[in-house]
Amino acid sequence: AQSVTQPDIHITVSEGASLELRCNYSYGATPYLFWYVQSPGQGLQLLLKYFSGDTLVQGIKGFEAEFKRSQSSFNLRKPSVHWSDAAEYFCAVAGANNLFFGTGTRLTVIP
Amino acid sequence: EAQVTQNPRYLITVTGKKLTVTCSQNMNHEYMSWYRQDPGLGLRQIYYSMNVEVTDKGDVPEGYKVSRKEKRNFPLILESPSPNQTSLYFCASSSDRLPTYEQYFGPGTRLTVT
């Protein structure tokens, strides 16, 4: 069965610092992987997705993620965080009929 | 503008009073889905629909109903709401029959059942 684990519930970083949010998945076949961001009071917005090919995926807002099959991971990174990046981030893997979401990581950005 | 809309955005109701949350998309998507979001649990799928008149249960369907009479609309019905259905609800749609491609999410409906 598919599942997604986001081990960090809450992360705090300083503005301008680098960021890495962890995501581990469980899936039998080649996974379709996603990162979504949820700003306060908003719906979910797709940051990036991985289907196949290049394992380093570029997304919107300066985010990127790297698919590592050997580690069953799909970590999200950003080299320099902006205050507007404060939000909740969800990793997801596509199943046959739905998306399986992780429990989310809340990002706090301090000046 | 391509979007998924939900109404109402906020709703406070009492136990047992039937309610409907509407969802509409203007992208001609075949696939639509409802999720609920609870702290520490992420998003869990309630029901989904692959096309008009085709609906199926997700992971947490108990206490909910849906219908898909038109392609653009996918209402969520709570026949007899209970406090454990207090949650944040999201509707989503996708251009593919399967949710393997990008899903577009509505803004959410925060429901409180007292």
Side-chain angles (χ1 to χ4, degrees):
Chain A
Q2 301 94 331
S3 67
V4 173
T5 301
Q6 294 180 248
D8 303 306
I9 295 173
H10 187 201
I11 285 182
T12 300
V13 299
S14 298
E15 191 168 14
S18 64
L19 172 70
E20 182 169 26
L21 302 182
R22 296 184 291 165
C23 171
N24 292 97
Y25 68 89
S26 172
Y27 192 71
T30 300
Y32 292 171
L33 295 161
F34 306 80
W35 274 100
Y36 283 86
V37 61
Q38 183 181 26
S39 298
Q42 303 295 314
L44 280 76
Q45 180 184 21
L46 182 69
L47 283 176
L48 48 79
K49 57 194 175 190
Y50 171 79
F51 290 163
S52 65
D54 194 345
T55 57
L56 186 62
V57 180
Q58 300 298 320
I60 63 171
K61 305 185 179 188
F63 285 92
E64 65 177 27
E66 186 171 12
F67 171 63
K68 293 185 177 180
R69 184 187 298 276
S70 61
Q71 299 178 18
S72 297
S73 69
F74 188 56
N75 294 348
L76 182 71
R77 301 194 294 248
K78 187 170 185 179
S80 179
V81 170
H82 187 262
W83 64 265
S84 61
D85 294 324
E88 189 146 21
Y89 292 80
F90 291 94
C91 182
V93 63
N97 299 307
N98 62 343
L99 290 179
F100 290 92
F101 285 86
T103 52
T105 297
R106 180 176 299 177
L107 174 65
T108 297
V109 181
I110 56 177
Chain B
E1 179 189 357
Q3 61 182 346
V4 177
T5 57
Q6 296 179 226
N7 282 292
R9 293 288 312 277
Y10 302 90
L11 179 60
I12 301 174
T13 190
V14 296
T15 299
K17 185 177 182 181
K18 181 179 179 179
L19 65 92
T20 299
V21 183
T22 64
C23 173
S24 182
Q25 50 93 4
N26 62 2
M27 295 169 280
N28 202 37
H29 286 171
E30 291 189 348
Y31 178 92
M32 297 186 75
S33 180
W34 277 102
Y35 295 86
R36 62 177 287 174
Q37 182 182 11
D38 301 291
L41 297 177
L43 281 83
R44 295 176 293 167
Q45 190 186 48
I46 303 170
Y47 269 94
Y48 65 95
S49 169
M50 290 193 178
N51 212 331
V52 175
E53 303 292 2
V54 180
T55 63
D56 210 343
K57 297 177 180 179
D59 297 318
V60 288
E62 294 77 20
Y64 305 95
K65 286 176 56 178
V66 293
S67 69
R68 187 91 181 274
K69 293 183 170 55
E70 304 167 280
K71 198 172 189 178
R72 63 182 291 126
N73 295 324
F74 190 45
L76 179 70
I77 303 156
L78 285 71
E79 295 267 0
S80 183
S82 63
N84 65 11
Q85 294 179 297
T86 292
S87 187
L88 181 57
Y89 292 87
F90 289 101
C91 181
S93 71
S94 173
S95 59
D96 195 357
R97 287 186 64 253
L98 300 176
T100 52
Y101 296 96
E102 177 176 359
Q103 288 196 33
Y104 294 82
F105 283 81
T109 295
R110 185 166 293 282
L111 172 65
T112 301
V113 183
T114 62

